[in-house]
Amino acid sequence: MKQHVIFDTELIGTKQPHFLIKAKIHETGEMFTFWHHKKGHTAKFERMLQRDDLVWVGFNSENFDRPLIAAAIAGYDEHDLKMIAQAIIDEELRSWQTYREFKLDFIEYDHIDLKEIPPGVMLSLKVYEGRMHAPSIEDMPFHHTHDLISPKEFKIVESYCENDITETERLFLTVRKEIDLRVQLGEQYGVDLRSKSDAQCVEAVLKKVCSIGNQDKIVPRHVEYRAPDFIQTDSKVINTLIDQIEDHLFKINHANGSPEFPEFLTEPITLNGGLYQFGIGGLHSKHDTRYYEQASDKLWISDVDAASYYPNIMMRAGLLPNLGGNKGEKFLQAYQEIYEARIKAKRSGDKRTANTLKILLNGTFGKLGSIYCAFYAPELMLAVTLTGQLNLLCLIWELEKIKGVYIASANTDGIMICYPPSKRSQVIKAIQANAKRTGFEYEETPYQRVAMRDVNSYVAITAERESVIVPPKGKVTIVPPSAPSAKRKGAYAKAGVMENVSPTFQICAEACVEYLLHGRSVKDTVLSCDDIRQFVSVRNVTGGGVQHTHEVEVDDWIGEPRNWRRPRWADDKKSETRVSRPKPVLEGRGGVPFGRIARWYMTTRKLPPITYVKSGNKVPGTEGGILCLKLPDKMPKDLNYDWYINKAKEMLADAGVNLT
């Protein structure tokens, strides 16, 4: 069994740069330090790198750390390394570009880069530290251009690098399950997928299976859409819409390769009083803001989702991606085999295989519209998204023909139906008719209550009653009741790395869920929580920030009526156009600037808000907050509990809940 080495590098200084490599063996806790300027260190590191019992794990290490390590081993001095590092940053070089431009030899060793594995896109390690509630998310106390002049400063750099290793290790453990799934998938298809995102896994596997190369890509000027035969309805609104869509030539945006939606699809569609918005991502309802509903013996609520909706549409739409030769047929055949293998694994209880193959199925759709993808197929992407939205509209139309039935919400692959219990059999029959015609399978989730700020932010509490699975063929499956639980999204979602959500006063969302799920008062939930991590918010602060200790009045206006300026304003600042001299300006004083990530909680103390260092503008949401880059061991005495209680009540009110 191989051991995992968590590693990171630091390159600091200008006149006399220094290059550091730190490494920690995860299984043993053993830490290693290698300075390039110290005799024998680089040679020792190279020997460690050559061990075949180690897997090296880093963050953004493929494009940054590995080329620098290759240059260091090749004998480049620190000034050369600084030049290479600056080029990587300034020109956003990929690893192969760096090796080519600086004539570096690629060094082979077992390696995993964690950067692409979590669902976030282009996020820094600092952001993930915030999402993992790292004890400290402070940046190095001096700039990367600073020349180290004392043993103490060298130790500070080592300590900072060690902290990054600790957080990289924490991220490694967080995504370990995802890595294991990629290992299994890679062994099945003979491709190393451990450092790839879901979408990159899809591309790597299908490129190999279908022999697709980047040179096969065809970028059309426009694409057309033809609704498949199973899109059938007697709704004049929907049929008129289908005619408009089929008569339209969808232009391709050559900047990103995606089809452009015409103006007639940017306006919401009215169907039986409901408003629905088409989009590249899927259908969204527009009539469900500040919406609250509770089930009763006179009203039931059912959320009905199409299982594996986009994968099924891809296989049912009747179009092949234009990949040249018979590669389009190969693509859909391979995709069909992956889908059938997942269904088989899911039904047999093989969750590991089912979850592994789910990566391929769900990651494909987004790649269809990417001009950089080997199986770029905008016509198929358009077919998938338009077919899915038209089908949901057809289902909505059929359901709302039933007296007393209305659609509370619609979102991408499902709809929320409200209906009298006496109409349940008719509702299921309408869903069955659609399933039989389209070939889609539908899964029901019963709700007891729903609180929606909008279609993308809500809490839904499941009901303790039986539900159904409606297959395209065969009998409806009855699913026994289960204990109530909360489905949450957007502002009410859980924060975390795999949730792709940064903490934003999580206790407020928890208080909303507790109220809706158990009837617990917001005040009780907030006051009983003794975990400071639930009370913090984390945010990117581009260019760094500062929280001043106090503010002073500054009256330095110069100029004349309608052209008042301040000497400290940059040239691109607009002047004040008022006639009379503007009032004095409040400016912050004191405080220590910090790096790219702010973390704070709400305090009873009176402090200026956190501001951006360069512009002086307020960081949104920080008025009334206090910077908390290091998490305290105990709950702070100045925590403003009242603020959190009121915020949670506001969030419930935003979702249509009346607390009075």
Side-chain angles (χ1 to χ4, degrees), residues 19-73:
F19 183 56
L20 169 68
I21 305 171
K22 291 277 287 188
K24 176 186 178 182
I25 297 181
H26 166 67
E27 286 76 9
T28 66
E30 190 175 4
M31 187 74 73
F32 301 86
T33 303
F34 306 97
W35 286 99
H36 189 48
H37 69 281
K38 290 190 176 181
K39 186 176 181 180
H41 274 218
T42 302
K44 288 180 181 178
F45 173 74
E46 185 176 9
R47 288 195 294 272
M48 185 177 180
L49 204 62
Q50 292 170 347
R51 288 172 52 179
D52 59 8
D53 64 329
L54 301 177
V55 180
W56 294 76
V57 181
F59 183 89
N60 195 29
S61 46
E62 182 62 36
N63 290 321
F64 189 80
D65 301 279
R66 289 191 77 178
L68 290 181
I69 287 171
I73 289 175

Side-chain angles (χ1 to χ4, degrees), residues 270-433:
T270 301
L271 193 66
N272 295 332
L275 283 177
Y276 302 95
Q277 180 69 63
F278 265 57
I280 287 293
L283 191 72
H284 289 79
S285 48
K286 304 286 286 184
H287 55 267
D288 47 7
T289 57
R290 294 179 67 91
Y291 174 81
Y292 177 73
E293 192 67 84
Q294 182 164 326
S296 66
D297 57 359
K298 295 181 179 180
L299 179 76
W300 281 9
I301 308 169
S302 290
D303 190 68
V304 176
D305 290 335
S308 300
Y309 198 34
Y310 282 174
N312 267 301
I313 294 173
M314 286 180 63
M315 294 178 289
R316 292 277 293 148
L319 293 176
L320 296 174
N322 187 8
L323 301 175
N326 67 341
K327 291 176 181 176
E329 288 85 350
K330 283 186 176 181
F331 173 88
L332 284 185
Q333 180 182 348
Y335 196 78
Q336 177 84 35
E337 291 173 355
I338 293 169
Y339 174 78
E340 291 175 352
R342 180 176 185 264
I343 294 299
K344 182 179 179 180
K346 190 176 179 181
R347 289 174 177 170
S348 67
D350 185 358
K351 291 184 179 180
R352 182 180 178 85
T353 300
N355 289 337
T356 301
L357 296 176
K358 184 179 180 181
I359 292 174
L360 296 184
L361 292 175
N362 291 349
T364 303
F365 172 72
K367 279 291 187 179
L368 295 173
S370 171
I371 200 170
Y372 304 104
C373 176
F375 51 85
Y376 166 68
E379 72 285 356
L380 186 53
M381 177 185 181
L382 192 70
V384 169
T385 187
L386 289 180
T387 300
Q389 293 173 91
L390 289 172
N391 178 61
L392 284 185
L393 285 180
C394 291
L395 180 56
I396 289 168
W397 174 257
E398 293 300 323
L399 286 165
E400 290 191 328
K401 285 181 179 179
I402 305 169
K403 187 177 181 179
V405 174
Y406 65 92
I407 304 304
S409 179
N411 188 11
T412 308
D413 61 354
I415 55 179
M416 190 186 303
I417 314 166
C418 295
Y419 56 97
S422 61
K423 302 292 184 179
R424 179 166 175 78
S425 61
Q426 290 177 256
V427 168
I428 293 174
K429 283 181 181 178
I431 297 170
Q432 277 183 294

